[in-house]
Amino acid sequence: MGQQEASSDFELLATITRHIRPEFDELDEAWEGSPFAWVRKLPSASRGKMGKRMVAAWCAAKGLMIDSSNNSEADLLLNGHRVEIKFSTLWKSGIYKFQQIREQDYEYAVCLGVSPFQAHCWVVSKALLRKQVIGHKPQHKGVEGTDTFWFSVDPNKPPEWIANSGGTLDQAFQVLKSLSRKRN
């Protein structure tokens, strides 16, 4: 099929886009040279899968015991503990948003955030999520939005309630390492 003549509305949208694009180019410049720049271009579902693989591979490389979960209520078993993995890239506003947090069968949520040249991680117990997030910070409005929750973290000023859950990768690993091996 050959190229059709552009309508005036198409030309108008193209002109508008040329004026808007610099805002998004500026955003991408912050990620220029970052080993994670390509991740930002993935669709959100693929980003989540990539984050899960990244956490599993990182934990395995650090000597933690990793197994598959026997159902979709948790992403993996880490030292025998049921773990849900949440992933965020740094938003333009300088925060991470950990989304789609549900009341499911897991013990901990590993929340990995990547910035252009840093990574942060928190290992948050389900009990703490119930106290601070689940049932308190709905991701969506309305009746249908009562099953998913989210929370934001400014990596330079994380909320007090997750202070003992990590922050740097090393701090998060210390928390993960402290989870004793559990047999299922």
Side-chain angles (χ1 to χ4, degrees):
M1 179 179 269
Q3 189 173 9
Q4 297 178 349
E5 186 173 321
S7 71
S8 61
D9 283 335
F10 180 84
E11 291 296 332
L12 178 59
L13 286 176
T15 301
I16 291 168
T17 301
R18 279 193 290 276
H19 291 286
I20 294 172
R21 184 177 176 178
E23 293 174 37
F24 292 90
D25 287 343
E26 179 183 313
L27 180 65
D28 286 338
E29 287 175 12
W31 289 82
E32 194 172 305
S34 166
F36 305 112
W38 65 276
V39 174
R40 291 183 44 83
K41 296 177 180 170
L42 295 173
S44 59
S46 297
R47 259 191 258 178
K49 286 180 186 174
M50 198 284 312
K52 291 171 189 171
R53 289 184 62 185
M54 191 184 301
V55 169
W58 176 63
C59 289
K62 300 287 276 182
L64 299 175
M65 189 173 70
I66 304 296
D67 287 309
S68 298
S69 172
N70 60 357
N71 62 36
S72 63
E73 296 273 313
D75 291 318
L76 56 86
L77 302 179
L78 198 152
N79 279 356
H81 296 272
R82 298 180 61 79
V83 171
E84 184 75 356
I85 298 170
K86 296 299 170 189
F87 179 74
S88 176
T89 55
L90 192 70
W91 287 33
K92 189 175 182 180
S93 60
I95 62 165
Y96 297 119
K97 279 271 192 198
F98 298 107
Q99 305 179 48
Q100 302 290 316
I101 296 172
R102 292 184 168 87
E103 178 65 49
Q104 295 181 162
D105 183 19
Y106 59 89
E107 299 169 75
Y108 298 93
V110 174
C111 301
L112 176 65
V114 294
S115 299
F117 299 99
Q118 288 185 314
H120 300 88
C121 189
W122 293 269
V123 183
V124 187
S125 72
K126 175 96 165 275
L128 192 52
L129 287 173
R130 282 183 178 143
K131 187 175 179 181
Q132 297 290 333
V133 179
I134 298 172
H136 304 284
K137 298 179 181 182
Q139 185 171 341
H140 304 288
K141 304 286 184 208
V143 175
E144 295 178 9
T146 58
D147 66 333
T148 57
F149 301 89
W150 63 353
F151 68 97
S152 303
V153 177
D154 177 342
N156 295 315
K157 193 177 177 185
E160 188 66 34
W161 64 269
I162 60 168
N164 294 326
S165 302
T168 65
L169 291 174
D170 187 55
Q171 290 167 332
F173 179 69
Q174 295 307 315
V175 175
L176 289 168
K177 201 167 75 172
S178 73
L179 303 178
S180 59
R181 290 195 177 201
K182 181 176 164 185
R183 294 185 186 266
N184 290 322

